[in-house]
């Protein structure tokens, strides 16, 4: 890896060339770029890297579009990376529209299309893996766009961004796009240390101003009001008066009975507006379309059902026909049985009313329908979990936050200033809305003053979460000598922040690497500074449980297993149980939740295509995987290494049934029996992640029979509803072949 140096001059090798290129690019725009965008164009013309920190919806991606345009003119290659497959798919379609067929490729765990195109969209992990493997696809690469670079602080995946920035060849420039952060200058200083000349451009203004509101329903007047949350940089005075009135009333209330939630004394003067009340108010004030953020999947589905049941209809006949056509196009690959399992008629009824839910529990075909209908202006209200705020392009006129608290790893807590900014960043559509609106509903658990304090707080600093993994450790050994490998770690943003905090002499990340290497040496993956055959296999496994996966490739865990059993056993390394918080039940006669699986059949019922022999084999082999994990975790504890996650084998039977051709409904029924409540989208996501993992196993397994079984398992998993919706068919048809 070369030392940081000034990157090769970009397409603008002369002032005249740069000027001509800029004029052609600007001539195709329907608007005049903002000052921060022009400043970024100047940096790109100079051949510099650039970090753009700006609010959601401000037009950061125009900077990426200019870099790609310049590279296309110079016949140079561009990589566009995103943190999410869904965002990669969306960007893939947009770039095809801009640059035409044959110019854009896509590389994710689900797709490999046109990988040698001059523009390739990919997830950030794919680029990291290419760098570690020394892929020939890197030849001719001039610019990497890192979209959503603030993911660098993600506790599970943030290190990937640092690896990319440190490992990329010195001649490659970067366009880093980030939501607004407080320490953009610190991040840019680090970027200069690893990438050479880097311009930092910070834009605080939004393309449309944001008005913050607090919604209350006054009991005495039976009216729902929007109060200013912030006025002149301070908490709104009317909201503070409401808070004081609530506090006075609460002091006179007492529990009606010990241990009960009923109260004696005067009612509180306000309550939270009901959903229909809130929607009707927004409609009256012409503040739709709106996204309602609810931190529960079940509550999102229940909200749609409640609105439909209450007779809310927000669409006309023409819009309903267009919505139905979009839904049918996205679901045409699903069978009638699949649609029945997914409660398609109930889901479509909500859609045609202009109301939908959006969350990870929905299958991709349903989510993508909602995204397209909302982007086209057909849907008026979407009830969503916070996952919608992470990357997908679905701006609205108004964002409503139903509750200001959410459950996290430490239990229930108020939203942070960063979370509030991320959610409300969706409010205000560029070119359509002169201002966006953020509405927080009153709740007894969060005072008005606390909500206002968070809304006024500055965005948080980005903090590195980088720690060397087993896979990175063996790839450092494979690629560099010891001194250069340690230099790579010392150039990370994590070590940069450690040094800035006055702990630079600790060499903390090097210590982490040495402990990882000690575990690998004990298991025979490294000998001194050299990889064994097992270490070479580990270098090609990219997974959170990378070492455990590699350990499972030798010995009895997978040896001699048929494809469905291989898939079932390895599902224990990708399936994650969710802590379920259910919404109020719809009643015994109400429709089941959208996509909820049917009641499970008794054990041994036909349809799962397994038989008792395979069930016993799955249980035995899964138990061996758990034993292997326990042994590894004990070794990690001895060497003070963060312990590998424990396998979760509860989905093994359902996955094996699916791989053997069981229907989606049958597989979900088995999953519900074995693993508890599981949303269809969770099963699909698990199956897709598993297909990626068994594909890696097929490439590295030392036993040819296991490699063949893993390859077969991959194709058996990727069928029907699991494969549907991975990419728009039109985009696939338009792309160049690999």
């Amino acid at each position: 890896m070369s030392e940081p140096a000034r990157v090769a001059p970009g397409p603008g090798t002369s002032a005249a060339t740069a000027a001509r290129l800029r004029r052609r690019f600007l001539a195709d725009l329907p608007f005049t770029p903002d000052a921060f965008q022009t400043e970024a164009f100047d940096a790109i013309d100079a051949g510099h890297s650039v970090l753009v920190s700006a609010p959601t919806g401000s037009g950061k991606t125009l900077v990426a579009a200019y870099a790609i345009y310049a590279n296309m003119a110079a016949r140079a290659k561009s990589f566009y990376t995103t943190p999410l497959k869904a965002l990669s798919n969306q960007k893939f379609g947009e770039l095809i529209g801009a640059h035409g067929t044959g110019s854009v490729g896509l590389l994710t765990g689900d797709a490999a299309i046109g990988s040698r195109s001059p523009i390739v969209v990919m997830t950030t992990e794919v680029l990291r893996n290419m760098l570690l493997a020394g892929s020939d696809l890197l030849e001719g690469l001039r610019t990497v766009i890192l979209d959503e670079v603030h993911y660098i602080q993600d506790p599970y995946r943030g290190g990937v961004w640092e690896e990319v920035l440190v490992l990329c060849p010195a001649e490659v420039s970067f366009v880093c796009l980030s939501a607004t952060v407080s320490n953009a200058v610190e991040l840019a200083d680090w970027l200069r240390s690893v990438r050479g000349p880097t311009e930092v451009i910070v834009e605080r203004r939004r393309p449309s101003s944001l008005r913050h509101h607090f919604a209350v329903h006054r009991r005495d007047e039976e009216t729902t009001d929007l109060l200013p949350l912030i006025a002149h940089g301070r908490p709104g005075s009317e909201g503070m008066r409401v808070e004081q009135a609530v506090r006075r009333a609460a002091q006179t209330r007492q529990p009606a009975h010990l241990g009960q939630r009923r109260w004696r004394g005067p009612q509180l003067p306000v309550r939270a507006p009901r959903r229909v009340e809130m929607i009707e108010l927004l409609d009256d004030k012409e503040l739709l379309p709106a996204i309602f953020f609810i931190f529960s999947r079940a509550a999102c589905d229940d909200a749609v059902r409640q609105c439909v049941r209450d007779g809310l209809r927000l669409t006309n006949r023409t819009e309903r026909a267009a919505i139905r056509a979009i839904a049918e196009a996205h679901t045409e690959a699903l069978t009638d049985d699949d649609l029945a399992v997914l409660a398609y008629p109930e889901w479509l009824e909500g859609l045609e009313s202009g109301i939908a839910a959006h969350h990870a529990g929905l299958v991709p075909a349903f989510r993508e329908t909602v995204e397209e209908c909302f982007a086209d202006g057909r849907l008026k209200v979407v009830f969503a979990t916070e996952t919608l705020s992470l990357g997908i392009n679905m701006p609205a006129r108004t964002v409503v936050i139903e509750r200001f608290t959410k459950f996290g790893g430490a239990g229930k807590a108020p939203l942070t200033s960063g979370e509030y900014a991320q959610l409300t960043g969706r409010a205000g559509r560029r070119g359509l809305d002169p201002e966006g609106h953020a509405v927080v509903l009153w709740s007894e658990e969060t005072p008005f003053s606390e909500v206002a304090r968070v809304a006024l707080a500055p965005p948080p600093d980005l903090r590195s979460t980088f720690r060397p993994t087993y896979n990175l450790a063996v790839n450092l050994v494979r690629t560099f000598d010891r001194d250069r490998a340690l230099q790579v770690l010392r150039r990370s943003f994590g070590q940069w922040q450690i040094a800035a905090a006055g702990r630079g002499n600790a060499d903390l990340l090097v210590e982490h690497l040495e402990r990882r290497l000690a575990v690998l040496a004990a298991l025979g993956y490294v000998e001194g500074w050299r990889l064994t055959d097992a270490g070479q296999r580990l270098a090609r496994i990219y997974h959170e449980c990378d070492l455990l996966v590699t350990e499972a490739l030798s010995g009895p865990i997978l040896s001699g297993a048929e494809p469905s059993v291989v898939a079932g056993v390895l599902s224990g390394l990708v399936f994650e149980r969710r802590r379920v918080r259910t919404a109020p039940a719809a009643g015994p006669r109400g429709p089941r939740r959208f996509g909820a699986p049917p009641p499970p059949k008794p054990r041994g019922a036909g349809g799962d295509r397994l038989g008792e022999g395979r069930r016993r084999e799955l249980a035995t082999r899964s138990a061996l995987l758990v034993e292997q994990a326990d042994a590894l975790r004990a070794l990690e504890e001895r060497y003070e290494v963060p312990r590998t996650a424990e396998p979760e084998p509860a989905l093994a039977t359902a996955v094996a049934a699916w791989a053997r051709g069981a229907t989606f409904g049958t597989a979900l029924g088995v999953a519900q029996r074995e693993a508890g409540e599981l949303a269809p989208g969770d099963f699909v996501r698990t199956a897709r992640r598993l297909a990626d993992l068994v594909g890696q196993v097929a490439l590295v397994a030392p036993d040819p029979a296991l490699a063949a079984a893993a390859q077969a398992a991959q194709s058996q998993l990727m069928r029907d509803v699991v494969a549907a919706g991975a990419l728009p068919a039109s985009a696939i048809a338009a792309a160049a072949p690999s």
Side-chain angles (χ1 to χ4, degrees), residues 57-278:
S58 58
K60 296 185 292 293
T61 54
L62 187 67
V63 178
Y66 181 69
I68 292 171
Y69 183 87
N71 284 348
M72 289 289 285
R75 300 184 183 278
K77 186 182 291 186
S78 306
F79 283 176
Y80 195 113
T81 78
T82 81
L84 303 170
K85 291 178 184 177
L87 188 54
S88 292
N89 295 344
Q90 188 176 76
K91 187 57 60 178
F92 175 59
E94 291 174 5
L95 288 171
I96 283 178
H99 296 280
T101 61
S103 295
V104 188
L106 178 70
L107 293 173
T108 68
D110 296 335
I113 302 167
S115 59
R116 298 191 180 275
S117 302
I119 308 165
V120 185
V121 184
M122 62 190 70
T123 53
T124 317
E125 280 88 350
V126 168
L127 177 54
R128 185 273 310 271
N129 300 349
M130 290 168 59
L131 290 166
L132 293 177
S135 171
D136 64 350
L137 295 177
L138 297 166
E139 294 177 8
L141 176 63
R142 171 171 279 172
T143 303
V144 171
I145 293 102
L146 289 182
D147 204 353
E148 310 281 355
V149 75
H150 47 277
Y151 262 75
I152 206 167
Q153 68 183 350
D154 184 89
Y156 301 105
R157 303 167 58 210
V160 170
W161 276 255
E162 296 188 46
E163 292 174 42
V164 164
L165 286 159
V166 171
L167 294 173
C168 238
E171 65 271 15
V172 176
S173 64
F174 278 81
V175 174
C176 301
L177 308 178
S178 171
T180 304
V181 295
S182 291
N183 61 332
V185 172
E186 178 191 23
L187 180 59
D189 286 343
W190 170 70
L191 287 172
R192 293 187 187 101
S193 75
V194 294
R195 302 308 319 168
T198 302
E199 304 299 328
V200 57
I201 298 168
V202 177
E203 175 60 63
R204 302 291 184 189
R205 293 173 301 174
R206 291 168 46 93
S208 56
S209 60
L210 181 63
R211 292 183 61 187
H212 303 263
H213 308 273
F214 195 69
V216 298
H217 186 88
R218 301 181 188 274
R219 295 182 187 273
D220 55 350
E221 302 171 9
E222 285 299 324
T223 59
T224 298
D225 292 338
L226 293 182
L227 312 180
L229 180 63
I230 299 169
H232 309 295
R234 299 171 58 85
S237 57
E238 191 173 358
M240 292 301 298
R241 287 194 292 272
V242 168
E243 180 178 319
Q244 293 164 3
V246 168
R247 187 180 296 117
R248 287 193 298 270
Q251 290 173 348
T252 64
R253 302 172 82 206
Q254 296 179 344
H257 301 284
L258 187 64
Q260 291 191 5
R261 299 184 63 184
R262 297 182 61 186
W263 299 87
R264 290 185 303 196
Q267 283 186 321
L268 296 180
V270 298
R271 63 166 171 82
R274 298 186 178 95
R275 287 162 184 154
V276 171
E277 292 171 341
M278 195 69 237

Side-chain angles (χ1 to χ4, degrees), residues 686-721:
T686 298
R688 288 184 174 183
R689 291 182 63 204
L690 180 57
D692 179 73
L693 177 58
V694 296
Q696 295 182 49
V697 169
L699 294 175
V700 305
D703 177 8
L706 175 56
Q711 187 173 15
Q714 185 178 41
S715 62
Q716 291 172 3
L717 290 167
M718 291 298 295
R719 64 177 178 87
D720 300 340
V721 67

